[in-house]
Amino acid sequence: MKNKKHLAIIDTPFNVDYSNGNISGKSVINPIKKIKDLQNIFEDKQAFKNIDGDKIIYEVQAILPVEEGREGGLFYGKTIIHPGKVGNEYFMTKGHFHQKVDRAEFYWGIEGEGMLLLMDKNRNTWAEKMHPGSLHYINGYIAHRTVNTGTTKLSFGACWPSDAGHNYQEIMDNGFSARLKEIDGKPQLVSTQQ
Ligand code: PAN
Ligand code: ZN
């Protein structure tokens, strides 16, 4: 059979706009998380109820060139977290361990200011500052959540193995052992452990 790609110059399948990280190309997916999708994520239940459930908290653009769960491929994504707070806790992602828990990931800051919250299996939590140009290696076995601590949108890129999967349940049930709150006008990590 004739190989159609032999000696062929083909169109670039995907493009990234380096001013804002936007991804274009066929089969870019665009899941959106609204406040109503983030039940039990934020601490202040009253402040949570007072926000319109349709308010968009974060959006993802992702390229999944192979089927999710297949070993050997890579996924590429961009996340935008809008600025804002629920009470004094900044808008953030749900956060997850990978389903295949040893799978690692790269994140890199594109726009805005934030923090990458990381937690190991023993529930030790720490945070890395995110800003345009910051680069973060997230080892396997480490839960990760991103937080917009600024007043403009936080955008960051990500690349992760196609068989990593997402374990959201662990975080839904037990959360991280610290929350990022605005205290005295600046972001501070506050322990949730007794
Ligand atoms: C990222 C995240 C993305 C949204 O692509 O999936 O930032 O965060 P949540 O998945 O926690 O809602 C990633 O870490 N992929 O593995
Ligand atoms: Zn991940």
Side-chain angles (χ1 to χ4, degrees):
M1 207 174 86
K2 212 171 158 194
N3 180 352
K4 275 206 297 192
K5 287 188 180 143
H6 181 59
L7 291 182
I9 296 172
I10 60 172
D11 284 342
T12 311
F14 307 106
N15 288 283
V16 175
D17 177 342
Y18 273 96
S19 67
N20 58 16
N22 267 349
I23 306 168
S24 56
K26 66 175 167 86
S27 76
V28 176
I29 61 162
N30 186 205
I32 289 176
K33 291 282 183 282
K34 298 181 175 177
I35 199 90
K36 66 185 177 197
D37 303 318
L38 303 174
Q39 305 284 341
N40 296 324
I41 297 291
F42 296 96
E43 188 174 52
D44 187 334
K45 304 294 171 217
Q46 195 52 51
F48 181 84
K49 266 196 221 154
N50 292 342
I51 301 175
D52 175 5
D54 283 323
K55 184 172 175 59
I56 295 174
I57 307 302
Y58 64 99
E59 309 174 39
V60 178
Q61 296 175 346
I63 304 169
L64 314 183
V66 299
E67 187 192 335
E68 184 140 34
R70 166 124 34 118
E71 202 177 315
L74 288 172
F75 292 160
Y76 183 97
K78 176 205 172 182
T79 303
I80 301 165
I81 309 178
H82 295 281
K85 282 175 288 173
V86 178
N88 61 2
E89 189 174 16
Y90 300 101
F91 286 177
M92 60 185 177
T93 59
K94 289 169 81 167
H96 56 270
F97 285 95
H98 288 153
Q99 193 73 47
K100 272 198 181 158
V101 72
D102 66 348
R103 296 310 197 244
E105 181 160 7
F106 267 116
Y107 276 5
W108 56 96
I110 300 172
E111 290 180 294
E113 301 292 322
M115 300 267 186
L116 169 58
L117 207 59
L118 299 161
M119 182 176 74
D120 69 16
K121 285 192 295 185
N122 299 322
R123 298 188 56 73
N124 297 302
T125 296
W126 65 102
E128 290 181 10
K129 287 184 181 172
M130 300 184 88
H131 50 81
S134 64
L135 182 63
H136 311 268
Y137 178 70
I138 304 166
N139 222 332
Y141 303 97
I142 302 291
H144 39 291
R145 158 179 281 168
T146 43
V147 185
N148 186 347
T149 56
T151 52
T152 58
K153 62 186 175 184
L154 172 72
S155 309
F156 63 93
C159 186
W160 68 103
S162 52
D163 63 349
H166 297 101
N167 172 3
Y168 291 108
Q169 201 57 49
E170 176 67 28
I171 300 300
M172 296 290 277
D173 292 346
N174 302 313
F176 278 66
S177 63
R179 293 179 176 276
L180 260 169
K181 295 183 178 176
E182 184 178 85
I183 298 170
D184 298 331
K186 53 178 197 284
Q188 298 196 29
L189 268 180
V190 180
S191 172
T192 59
Q193 311 290 95
Q194 311 305 335

